[in-house]
Amino acid sequence: MQATATWLGEHAVMVSVGTLILAWGLTAGLWQIGVGEGARARRQVVYWGAAGGAAALFAALAFLVSRDSSITAFDDTLAATLRVALPGAVLQIASVVTHLGDRQLLTVIAVAVAALLLWRRQWWWAVAWVAATAGGGVINRVLKLTFERVRPEFVHTLSDASGWSFPSGHASAAMAIYGMGAYFALRRVAPPRRLAVLLAAATLVVVVGITRIMLQVHFASDVLAGWAITSVWLALCIAALEAIERRAVAARAL
């Protein structure tokens, strides 16, 4: 695995582009599953299948990270390779793009969206939004304190990071804000625009995570774990919201 980590670090830009393309393909594929006849039932399968897979991924990462395992060796080698292999210009770009996952920016977005939903009297949407975003932040904080993983060493001054490393707060927060935002947007925009919304959200989430690895302020497994655990939480929040809405519709029909 260390040889693989070295290769990935030496070809980080190419790998990053490939990861983004893969995310686009996966997003488009899941979108196709969720449209057409019988879409609602298929979406439920996608929700719970994705949640189950993400939960399994997080559990595996948490188990391996808590021990001196092959994943920690992989992380160390990748971070060390990036430290010497990434051009300064790439680091400069990453240091700017990574701010899309900053707590301050995402907090402003979260508060603004919550205020808008309350103003529109979409009470349950507001509750789901706060649960997904604030709840995701609490989960991330608890997990960081639980695992207390030290961040990788970074020698540049392009990004400042402190606190524990596992799971990545930027990756988790980006998934919560942009992921839940995309879900709400899908409920509001015209069908021809929905795939574009999903691809935009996927781009933001993936790019924020990649920049954290490139800047060496997080290990690769930190970012994967942040995406995974927040995906599970989002799936639960969305499932709860839709269950509440179905009950409300049934109650009105009586």
Side-chain angles (χ1 to χ4, degrees):
M1 290 188 70
Q2 288 174 285
T4 301
T6 300
W7 186 91
L8 291 173
E10 291 173 344
H11 302 84
V13 175
M14 179 184 70
V15 171
S16 298
V17 173
T19 301
L20 184 56
I21 293 173
L22 179 63
W24 287 340
L26 179 61
T27 301
L30 291 175
W31 168 249
Q32 289 300 318
I33 293 174
V35 297
E37 186 177 351
R40 175 173 293 183
R42 291 198 301 272
R43 281 198 299 270
Q44 293 299 315
V45 173
V46 170
Y47 286 163
W48 293 111
L57 174 60
F58 178 81
L61 290 171
F63 176 81
L64 293 171
V65 164
S66 63
R67 289 158 174 77
D68 188 14
S69 64
S70 57
I71 195 68
T72 56
F74 175 91
D75 281 336
D76 288 336
T77 301
L78 177 58
T81 304
L82 291 171
R83 202 172 300 133
V84 297
L86 274 182
V90 174
L91 284 175
Q92 288 279 359
I93 295 171
S95 70
V96 174
V97 176
T98 200
H99 290 306
L100 291 169
D102 280 359
R103 180 185 303 172
Q104 296 87 342
L105 171 63
L106 297 184
T107 298
V108 170
I109 295 174
V111 171
V113 172
L116 176 63
L117 293 173
L118 290 172
W119 179 72
R120 294 174 63 90
R121 298 186 178 184
Q122 294 176 287
W123 310 121
W124 284 116
W125 279 34
V127 170
W129 174 258
V130 172
T133 55
V138 171
I139 291 170
N140 181 265
R141 179 64 175 167
V142 170
L143 290 172
K144 281 181 180 290
L145 293 174
T146 299
F147 290 94
E148 294 187 343
R149 189 184 196 187
V150 177
R151 292 178 184 271
E153 178 185 1
F154 58 97
V155 296
H156 59 77
T157 59
L158 297 172
S159 182
D160 185 27
S162 59
W164 303 115
S165 190
F166 182 91
S168 166
H170 273 64
S172 296
M175 176 66 79
I177 295 291
Y178 299 130
M180 197 65 175
Y183 170 75
F184 283 154
L186 290 178
R187 301 278 300 271
R188 301 291 299 182
V189 303
R193 299 179 182 177
R194 291 174 182 170
L195 179 57
V197 168
L198 283 175
L199 292 177
T203 300
L204 290 168
V205 171
V206 171
V207 166
V208 167
I210 287 174
T211 61
R212 305 310 284 171
I213 300 170
M214 282 187 166
L215 291 167
Q216 305 123 57
V217 293
H218 276 296
F219 293 110
S221 59
D222 298 336
V223 171
L224 287 175
W227 288 337
I229 193 62
T230 309
S231 295
V232 176
W233 182 240
L234 286 185
L236 293 174
C237 290
I238 290 170
L241 174 61
E242 293 189 353
I244 290 169
E245 289 178 329
R246 286 195 298 271
R247 289 179 183 177
V249 171
R252 287 195 297 268
L254 293 177

